[in-house]
């Protein structure tokens, strides 16, 4: 259709055209399982949380106009959902419960503003495991006879679960923590008596069985859960007649006393039906053993004596009582029998009684010395105890109640016994602790109901013995007294105590020890005082230590130690070595004065120094504590000193004072002359410096000189001794010629040997040997005019490092007198020396040769030492 010119239409024609062209909107149908569309076949679990987005309405308008969504419910129903009108999102706003409402009907609509399309939908609520099983017909209480056979059904429990499927299925089981007599069928809930189990009314009259009902499990809020419920089944056991009669309070004993009246009840036996639920009536009877002396009441079970006690011939009767059940029909049923013992006893009407030599007595006295031997019997006590009853009534115990020092024998008495008291603890029987010991002697019956008893007092007067040693109040006594205490002054008082009484308690004091010479002690009071002639001096002896002895009349004693310290009194003046002292001061070096105080302790023996007078006064300073005197800092040279003292003297006089710190304080003065020299003068002459330094202390110079002389003398003695022993050994030459071949010396010892050769060579240089001139008569005593031959020259000194194979040196000595060596001539050549030896005296040559051999032999022996 072609387009023409625009035409102007009438308004009503335009409206009609638009109305015919607008189509209604519609929902999309996406089928089951879809979460958007028109909610067709939509289902929702009942455990969906409130506020969850559960579905989205989805539709369209043919013209493409915007659409809006709505949802409504029946006015009588709950509004379970809400919808977003623009987005179509449906939200759960109420909690779902399938068991209450398994379907929800709603009307959903879609609108484009002009057209509204509505649809009715049904939403299915699916099940979740949110319901626990619930027991019905509670409480469960059943009555079961005790003779019910095992395996019998006794009750049925039933629980329902409103859930569907496995979540709604219920199974049963028991929850008892201990083994039980019951079982339950897991499917039907039938409670049975377990096979082999029996019920007993007499043991348990009721049983409480806990049964648990559990569902099959299912999903709840996305998790697998199993829910359960419990109930208690009360099983009351009914009694049946299956037990015989039972006696209560067995065994049965009765007593008939000498004053029991005829027909008196002795005792009552009690029996009852063993079936406590519905007990039968019981009857009592005596079967045998009574001999007509007793009878029993058939309904009450009371046994009575039918004869006078004086007529009863036996001491013990053994009766047999029979009890019989009577059924509801009046016929005898079960029976039981029990023995009954009845004793014929004397009446307990006499308590135990103590007797002395003159009859009944309740007080016994004894005097004895303290500390008797353990196990000794107190023989001065004569005590008898008696009970006039017979049999068990006359049996009683003896006890001694008191300080615990003694015991009683016997401890169990029948009728009568002699009482003996034995010493158990000798130390507890002490006169000093208690002069009187009091015991209670107690007799009390053992097997009687009356428990008759009696008491007696045992009083022991103790006599004292000398069993204690005097003891000082302290092991040590320490005191201080001034050293100027006059003779006879009290020092301290010691005290010793002897607990014994009378003369044994008197203490005599004495002192002894190396420090007790200046002290005395009063023998009775213990006061220690100084000897009348004693003069104490802390400077001589500051502390005294001795022992004090406390002794009783039998020589038992103890010791204590006494320490006495003398308090120093300032009674000494400081003393200078000389009243006039001379000191030499090297310029720049102080001189020192020293005074001593014989005080025993500080501050009495501490001395302070001062310059009391000096002319001029501004030249010297003094250290008050050390006594060092030096020139003032402004005086650094002798010239400066001469400017102060124009006369040019180098000797100054000072008056110095030494004062102690005691109270009262004492002081001493001395005149000090100081000679001042300069260091330059001392540096020019060391000896002068030494003499100047020792001028103030001559003993120092004497000591130094004596030391130097002692060193010189020691060196001289050592050299002389060594020379003497060397010559003594070398002069012992025997007229025997032996040729010894020298063994090569070991290499490690060569240095030591060569040193020895060197030392001996130097010693030999000091002397030469002179030999008496020979004569034809071989008489060494003849005076000849021929001069003695000259000894051969000693070999040259060894080299610093001789070789191992070098020949050993020989001592060039011969027998003869020693004379100082002549001035050494220049050493001749070796050949010339040998020539002179050949030309010399044959005696000299022989001696030298033999001496060489002898020394080689000695040298071989000495190698082992070096």
């Amino acid at each position: 259709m072609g387009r023409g010119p625009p035409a102007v239409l009438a308004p009503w024609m335009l409206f009609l055209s638009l109305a015919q062209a607008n189509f209604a909107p519609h929902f999309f149908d996406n089928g089951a399982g879809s979460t958007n569309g028109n909610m067709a076949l939509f289902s929702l679990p009942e455990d969906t949380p409130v506020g969850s987005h559960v579905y989205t309405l989805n539709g369209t308008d043919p013209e493409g106009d915007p659409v809006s969504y709505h949802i409504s419910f029946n006015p009588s129903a709950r509004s379970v959902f809400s919808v977003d009108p623009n987005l179509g999102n449906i939200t759960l706003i109420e909690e779902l419960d399938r068991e209450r409402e398994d379907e929800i009907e709603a009307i959903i609509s879609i609108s484009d503003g002009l057209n509204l399309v509505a649809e009715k939908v049904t939403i299915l609520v699916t099940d979740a495991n949110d319901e626990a099983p619930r027991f019905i017909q509670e409480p469960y209480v059943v009555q079961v006879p005790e003779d019910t056979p095992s395996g019998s059904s006794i009750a049925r429990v039933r629980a329902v679960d409103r859930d569907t499927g496995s979540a709604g299925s219920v199974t049963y089981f028991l929850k008892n923590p201990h083994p039980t007599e019951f079982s339950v069928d897991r499917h039907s809930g039938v409670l049975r008596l377990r096979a082999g189990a029996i019920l007993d009314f007499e043991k348990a009259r009721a049983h409480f069985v806990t049964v648990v009902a559990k569902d099959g499990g299912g999903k709840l809020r996305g998790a697998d859960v199993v829910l359960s419920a419990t109930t208690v089944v009360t099983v009351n056991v009914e009694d049946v007649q299956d037990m015989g009669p039972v006696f209560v309070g067995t065994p049965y004993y009765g007593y008939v006393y000498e004053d029991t009246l005829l027909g008196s009840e002795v005792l009552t036996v009690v029996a009852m039906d063993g079936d406590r639920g519905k007990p039968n009536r019981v009857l009592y009877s005596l079967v045998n053993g009574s001999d007509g002396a007793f009878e029993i009441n058939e309904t009450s079970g009371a046994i009575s004596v039918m004869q006078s006690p004086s007529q009863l011939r036996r001491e013990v009767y053994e009766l047999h009582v029979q009890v019989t059940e009577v059924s509801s029909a009046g016929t005898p049923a079960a029976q039981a029998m029990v023995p009954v013992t009845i004793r014929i006893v004397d009446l307990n009407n006499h308590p135990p009684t103590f007797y002395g030599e003159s009859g009944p007595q309740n007080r016994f006295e004894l005097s004895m010395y303290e500390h008797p031997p353990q196990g000794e019997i107190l023989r001065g006590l004569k005590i008898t105890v008696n009970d006039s009853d017979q049999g068990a009534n006359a049996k009683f115990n003896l006890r001694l109640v008191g300080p615990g020092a003694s015991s009683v024998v016997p401890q169990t008495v029948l009728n009568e016994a002699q009482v003996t008291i034995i010493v158990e603890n000798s130390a507890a029987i002490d006169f000093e602790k208690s002069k009187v010991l009091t015991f209670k002697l107690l007799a009390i019956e053992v097997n009687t109901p009356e428990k008759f008893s009696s008491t007696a007092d045992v009083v022991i007067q103790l006599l004292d013995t000398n069993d204690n040693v005097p003891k000082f109040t302290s092991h040590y006594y320490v005191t201080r007294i001034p050293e100027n205490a006059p003779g006879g002054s009290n020092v301290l008082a010691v005290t010793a105590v002897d607990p014994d009484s009378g003369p044994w308690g008197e203490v005599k004091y004495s002192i002894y020890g190396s420090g007790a010479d200046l002290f005395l002690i009063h023998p009775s009071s213990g006061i220690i005082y100084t000897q009348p002639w004693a003069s104490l001096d802390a400077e001589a002896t500051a502390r005294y230590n001795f022992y004090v002895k406390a002794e009783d009349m039998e020589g038992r004693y103890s010791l204590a130690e006494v320490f006495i310290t003398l308090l120093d009194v300032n009674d000494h003046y400081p003393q200078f070595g000389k009243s006039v002292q001379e000191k030499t001061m090297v310029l720049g070096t102080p001189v020192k004065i020293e005074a001593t105080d014989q005080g025993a302790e500080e501050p009495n023996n501490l001395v302070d120094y001062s310059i009391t007078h000096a002319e001029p006064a501004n030249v010297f300073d003094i250290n008050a504590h050390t006594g060092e005197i030096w020139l003032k800092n402004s005086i650094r040279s002798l010239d400066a000193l001469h400017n102060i003292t124009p006369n040019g003297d180098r000797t100054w006089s000072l008056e110095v004072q030494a004062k102690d710190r005691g109270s009262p304080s004492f002081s001493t003065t001395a005149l000090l002359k100081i000679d001042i020299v300069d260091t330059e003068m001392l540096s020019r002459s060391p000896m002068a410096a030494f003499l100047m330094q020792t001028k103030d202390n001559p003993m120092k110079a004497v000591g130094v000189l004596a030391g130097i002389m002692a060193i010189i003398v020691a060196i001289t003695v050592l050299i002389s001794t060594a020379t003497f022993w060397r010559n003594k050994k070398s002069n012992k030459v025997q007229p025997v010629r032996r040729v010894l071949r020298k063994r090569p010396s070991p290499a490690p010892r060569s240095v030591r040997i060569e040193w020895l050769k060197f030392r001996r060579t130097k010693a030999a240089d000091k002397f030469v040997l002179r030999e008496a001139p020979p004569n034809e008569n071989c008489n060494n005593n003849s005076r000849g005019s021929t001069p003695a031959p000259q000894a051969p020259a000693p070999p040259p000194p060894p080299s610093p490092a001789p070789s191992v194979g070098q020949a050993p040196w020989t001592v060039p000595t011969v027998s003869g007198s020693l004379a100082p060596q002549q001035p050494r001539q220049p050493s001749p050549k070796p050949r010339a020396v040998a020539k002179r030896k050949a030309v010399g005296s044959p005696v000299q040559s022989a001696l030298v040769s033999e001496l060489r051999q002898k020394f080689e032999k000695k040298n071989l022996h000495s190698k082992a030492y070096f």
Side-chain angles (χ1 to χ4, degrees):
M1 178 174 165
R3 292 184 178 178
V8 177
L9 300 178
W12 61 273
M13 294 180 64
L14 182 58
F15 175 77
L16 179 61
S17 175
L18 292 174
Q20 291 177 351
N22 192 354
F23 293 95
H26 64 274
F27 286 103
F28 294 119
D29 187 0
N30 295 327
S34 176
T35 58
N36 63 81
N38 60 352
M39 300 186 75
L41 302 177
F42 177 64
S43 62
L44 189 65
E46 64 175 330
D47 60 347
T48 302
V50 175
S52 301
H53 172 215
V54 297
Y55 199 82
T56 302
L57 295 178
N58 192 5
T60 185
D61 183 75
E63 290 80 18
D65 292 335
V67 297
S68 61
Y69 304 96
H70 303 278
I71 187 170
S72 60
F73 300 90
N74 192 321
S76 60
R78 296 184 303 157
S79 297
V80 180
F81 303 101
S82 65
V83 64
D84 186 319
N86 297 321
L87 301 178
N89 293 334
I90 294 180
T91 303
L92 181 65
I93 61 174
E94 290 284 343
E95 189 176 279
L96 302 180
D97 188 1
R98 189 204 65 80
E99 288 74 26
R100 188 177 64 178
E101 187 178 12
D102 58 355
E103 292 183 352
I104 299 174
E105 292 184 353
I107 299 174
I108 58 174
S109 60
I110 184 173
S111 173
D112 60 359
L114 296 177
N115 301 308
L116 177 68
V117 177
E119 294 182 8
K120 185 177 182 181
V121 295
T122 301
I123 297 97
L124 299 178
V125 180
T126 60
D127 190 28
N129 191 18
D130 61 340
E131 294 287 337
R134 182 174 59 85
F135 284 96
I136 61 177
Q137 299 177 353
E138 288 185 306
Y140 296 100
V141 180
V142 294
Q143 307 293 329
V144 182
E146 64 175 332
D147 58 352
T148 300
S150 60
S152 301
S153 300
I154 59 176
R156 181 185 181 187
V157 295
R158 185 166 178 265
V160 296
D161 192 325
R162 300 191 337 185
D163 291 324
T164 59
S166 63
S169 64
V170 180
T171 56
Y172 306 92
F173 63 92
L174 300 182
K175 194 182 178 181
N176 289 39
H178 304 291
T180 179
E181 293 85 355
F182 306 94
S183 63
V184 65
D185 187 275
R186 67 180 284 115
H187 300 293
S188 64
V190 174
L191 188 66
R192 292 185 175 88
L193 188 63
R194 186 169 51 83
I198 58 174
L199 300 177
D200 191 347
F201 176 83
E202 286 70 29
K203 292 182 179 180
R205 298 187 180 186
H207 299 271
F208 302 95
V209 184
T210 302
V211 181
V212 179
K214 182 176 67 174
D215 63 17
K219 295 285 186 180
L220 178 63
R221 296 181 181 88
D224 293 326
V225 296
V226 177
L227 302 178
S228 62
T230 59
T231 188
V232 177
V233 179
T234 302
V235 180
N236 293 321
V237 181
E238 294 181 345
D239 191 21
V240 296
Q241 286 295 329
D242 61 346
M243 299 291 292
V246 179
F247 283 95
V248 180
T250 57
Y252 293 109
Y253 295 96
Y255 299 92
V256 176
Y257 299 96
E258 58 181 341
D259 59 347
T260 301
L261 299 178
L262 183 66
S264 299
E265 181 180 320
V266 178
L267 78 160
T268 300
V269 296
V270 179
M272 60 181 62
D273 189 356
D275 302 307
R276 307 291 176 85
K278 297 177 181 179
N280 290 330
R281 185 168 59 92
V282 295
L283 298 177
Y284 302 95
S285 61
L286 287 177
V287 178
N288 56 23
S290 67
D291 294 340
F294 302 94
E295 65 179 23
I296 189 170
N297 187 300
E298 67 173 4
T299 57
S300 65
I303 299 176
S304 302
V305 60
M306 304 308 297
Q307 294 179 4
S308 172
S310 59
Q311 298 175 348
L312 300 176
R313 302 304 180 194
R314 290 186 290 175
E315 293 184 359
V316 179
Y317 286 84
E318 294 286 344
L319 309 181
H320 290 83
V321 178
Q322 178 177 286
V323 62
T324 304
E325 286 188 20
V326 179
S327 65
S328 57
T331 59
Q335 296 178 339
M337 188 174 297
V338 67
V340 178
T341 302
I342 298 177
R343 294 181 178 275
I344 310 303
V345 296
D346 178 42
L347 181 64
N348 186 25
N349 52 3
H350 297 94
T353 304
F354 292 99
Y355 293 89
E357 294 180 343
S358 58
Q361 187 174 334
N362 59 4
R363 182 180 176 88
F364 301 88
E365 295 184 359
L366 173 68
S367 296
M368 60 178 290
Y369 285 103
E370 62 177 335
H371 302 304
Q374 187 169 344
E376 180 175 330
I377 297 174
L378 305 186
R379 303 186 184 278
L381 296 174
K382 295 182 179 181
I383 306 174
T384 304
V385 62
N386 174 270
D387 191 327
S388 300
D389 292 321
Q390 300 297 320
N393 292 338
K395 186 177 181 180
F396 55 92
N397 289 337
L398 282 178
R399 292 175 56 193
L400 189 64
V401 181
S406 304
S407 62
V408 63
V409 176
Q411 295 184 354
T412 302
V413 180
L414 183 63
N415 290 117
E416 184 176 304
Q418 187 75 27
V419 178
T420 301
I421 297 178
I422 301 175
V423 175
E424 279 193 347
N425 186 0
S426 177
I429 305 177
D430 192 348
F431 177 84
E432 286 71 31
K433 294 179 180 179
S434 177
K435 296 178 176 58
V436 179
L437 295 180
T438 302
F439 299 91
K440 282 285 186 182
L441 193 58
L442 174 64
I444 181 170
E445 293 179 346
V446 179
N447 298 321
T448 62
E450 296 83 7
K451 300 291 183 183
F452 287 141
S453 64
S454 61
T455 61
D457 294 328
V458 178
V459 180
I460 300 176
Q461 300 285 343
L462 294 181
L463 305 177
D464 193 19
T465 60
N466 188 20
D467 60 332
N468 290 283
V469 177
K471 290 185 178 180
F472 284 97
T473 56
S474 175
H475 294 292
Y476 303 96
Y477 292 92
V478 180
T479 187
R480 295 163 64 93
I481 61 172
E483 65 174 340
N484 59 353
S489 299
N490 291 343
V491 179
L492 80 158
V494 297
T495 303
V497 178
D498 191 332
D500 293 323
S501 62
W504 291 319
E506 296 178 359
V507 180
K508 180 181 179 181
Y509 299 96
S510 60
I511 59 176
Y512 69 94
S514 59
D517 298 337
L518 300 181
F519 302 92
L520 296 173
I521 187 170
H522 193 278
S524 301
S525 64
I527 296 176
I528 299 175
Y529 55 94
T530 60
Q531 294 272 13
W533 47 264
S535 177
L536 304 178
D537 188 356
E539 290 74 28
T541 304
R543 293 174 180 84
Y544 293 90
N545 171 224
F546 52 86
Y547 291 92
V548 59
K549 180 179 180 181
E551 185 177 10
D552 63 13
M553 63 177 298
E554 291 187 351
R556 301 168 68 92
Y557 68 91
S558 63
L559 300 176
E561 198 166 1
V562 177
F563 298 89
I564 300 175
T565 301
L566 298 186
L567 298 175
D568 187 33
V569 177
N570 193 21
D571 54 355
H572 289 275
Y573 287 81
Q575 296 293 328
F576 285 102
K578 295 180 181 179
S579 60
V580 177
Q581 299 189 30
E582 295 182 358
K583 300 285 184 178
T584 299
M585 176 184 290
V586 179
L587 192 65
T589 304
V591 296
K592 183 177 181 181
I593 61 172
E594 186 174 3
T596 58
D597 192 312
Q598 299 300 323
E601 59 187 24
E602 297 180 355
N604 294 339
N605 57 6
L606 296 180
V607 179
D608 292 331
Y609 301 93
S610 62
I611 298 175
T612 58
H613 180 72
E615 186 64 35
N618 56 350
V619 175
F620 298 97
D621 284 332
I622 188 169
N623 188 311
H625 301 298
T626 63
E628 290 184 345
I629 301 174
W630 62 89
L631 293 173
K632 290 185 176 292
N633 294 332
S634 59
I635 302 174
R636 300 184 179 180
S637 65
L638 289 178
D639 295 336
L641 188 61
H642 293 160
N643 293 334
I644 300 175
T645 57
N647 55 4
D649 291 339
R650 295 188 178 183
T651 302
W652 285 263
S653 296
L654 305 177
E655 186 179 60
V656 294
Q657 181 187 52
K659 183 178 182 181
D660 62 24
R661 301 183 187 179
S663 179
S665 179
F666 296 105
S667 63
T668 303
T669 60
L671 181 63
L672 175 63
K673 295 181 180 181
I674 299 179
D675 187 9
I676 301 177
V677 297
D678 196 354
T679 55
E680 296 180 359
M681 181 180 67
L682 297 179
S683 62
R684 290 195 296 267
S685 176
M687 180 58 68
F690 173 75
L691 294 177
M692 292 297 294
Q693 291 177 358
T694 58
K695 179 181 178 182
D696 298 333
N697 191 358
M699 295 306 296
K700 179 178 179 181
V702 174
V704 171
L705 294 177
I708 295 174
M709 293 178 65
I711 294 173
I712 294 174
V713 171
I715 294 174
T716 304
V717 171
L718 290 175
I719 294 174
S720 300
T721 303
T723 304
F724 171 76
W725 284 106
R726 180 182 66 81
N727 294 329
K728 183 177 181 181
K729 291 181 179 179
S730 62
N731 289 336
K732 291 182 180 179
V733 179
Q734 301 296 331
V736 179
R737 296 172 180 265
R738 297 183 62 184
V739 179
L740 298 177
R741 189 179 301 274
K742 178 182 178 300
R743 296 179 183 178
S745 302
R749 300 175 181 172
S750 60
V751 177
R752 181 67 177 177
I753 294 171
E754 294 301 330
W755 174 87
L756 179 61
K757 292 189 292 185
F758 176 76
R759 297 285 291 179
R760 293 186 177 179
T761 301
K762 292 185 65 176
D765 290 342
K766 297 181 180 180
F767 301 94
V768 294
L769 295 174
R770 297 192 179 274
E771 188 179 44
N775 52 26
E776 289 83 358
N777 297 325
C778 297
N779 187 359
N780 292 333
N781 297 327
S782 63
R783 300 177 181 268
S785 59
T786 305
Q790 186 176 358
S799 59
S803 61
V804 176
Q806 185 176 359
W809 63 279
T810 58
V811 179
T813 59
V814 294
S815 298
S817 60
L818 296 177
Q821 183 180 1
Q822 299 297 327
R824 179 176 295 181
Q825 301 295 330
S827 299
K829 295 181 180 180
R831 184 174 297 177
V833 173
K835 189 175 181 180
R836 272 200 303 267
K837 288 183 180 180
V839 176
S841 173
V843 178
Q844 178 181 355
S845 300
L847 290 176
V848 171
S849 176
E850 187 173 357
L851 180 61
R852 178 183 299 173
Q853 295 174 7
K854 189 69 175 180
F855 186 78
E856 287 178 354
K857 181 180 178 181
K858 294 289 184 180
N859 192 22
L860 289 176
H861 291 287
S862 63
K863 285 182 178 181
Y865 173 78
F866 291 104

